[in-house]
Amino acid sequence: MARGRSLNRGLSVRAQETDADAQRLPWFLDVGTKGGALTVPMMTVVFPLVIYYGLQANGMTAERAGPWASFIYLVVGLVTWTFTYLYRVATKDMTYVQQLKDYEDAVMMKRLEEMSDDELQKMLEEAEGVAQEAQKQIESQQRK
């Protein structure tokens, strides 16, 4: 029984690590790292300055370039944030959804840990039977 439990824990830990690695940002953009903690705030200063001096280089006066740089920075920031938010909603990459998934996984792991070896073996046999039945249905559909 201990072997089955450690196997289940190992599989769930590996699955969580794979999911986390797949969604990880580069170190210089991840605000959870020192690089991201420095890079992201610097971009919030550098980006408007680039816009400001770019507008001046294209013939706009300094008095007009300041408000336009602020406006462009604000609009680009709001549009970018809105699209990232909509993307996270569409892909269900929200904090609540992740917490709910983690909770469901923890409940299932707890239930598996509480099952006896006989119950686990019976469940595995049932799952194999269902898998074989599904395989037969797929093969019959492919023949048609």
Side-chain angles (χ1 to χ4, degrees):
M1 188 154 120
R3 181 175 174 229
R5 286 184 185 170
S6 66
L7 176 65
N8 290 337
R9 286 187 192 132
L11 291 175
S12 87
V13 169
R14 278 190 221 117
Q16 290 172 357
E17 288 172 356
T18 304
D19 292 343
D21 292 342
Q23 298 176 354
R24 186 164 258 175
L25 291 171
W27 67 271
F28 58 89
L29 292 177
D30 184 5
V31 292
T33 64
K34 291 179 183 177
L38 295 174
T39 304
V40 173
M42 285 184 66
M43 287 191 305
T44 62
V45 172
V46 171
F47 183 63
L49 289 174
V50 168
I51 296 170
Y52 176 74
Y53 288 115
L55 290 172
Q56 282 186 351
N58 287 320
M60 193 175 281
T61 64
E63 292 81 23
R64 293 194 56 166
W68 274 105
S70 298
F71 175 75
I72 292 170
Y73 176 67
L74 178 68
V75 169
V76 167
L78 286 174
V79 168
T80 302
W81 180 84
T82 302
F83 281 118
T84 60
Y85 180 78
L86 293 174
Y87 174 77
R88 288 184 293 128
V89 168
T91 60
K92 296 185 178 181
D93 190 20
M94 306 289 290
T95 304
Y96 171 73
V97 174
Q98 187 60 43
Q99 288 174 342
L100 184 61
K101 181 184 176 302
D102 292 344
Y103 173 75
E104 290 171 349
D105 290 346
V107 168
M108 292 305 293
M109 290 304 297
K110 184 70 173 169
R111 287 183 183 167
L112 279 174
E113 288 175 2
E114 292 173 352
M115 292 177 83
S116 68
D117 287 340
D118 294 336
E119 291 172 325
L120 283 172
Q121 188 63 32
K122 183 179 177 186
M123 187 175 67
L124 287 173
E125 289 170 0
E126 289 174 6
E128 288 174 1
V130 170
Q132 289 173 356
E133 191 68 32
Q135 185 65 31
K136 288 177 186 176
Q137 288 178 355
I138 291 170
E139 289 172 358
S140 68
Q141 289 177 356
Q142 288 176 348
R143 288 184 205 144
K144 292 180 182 180

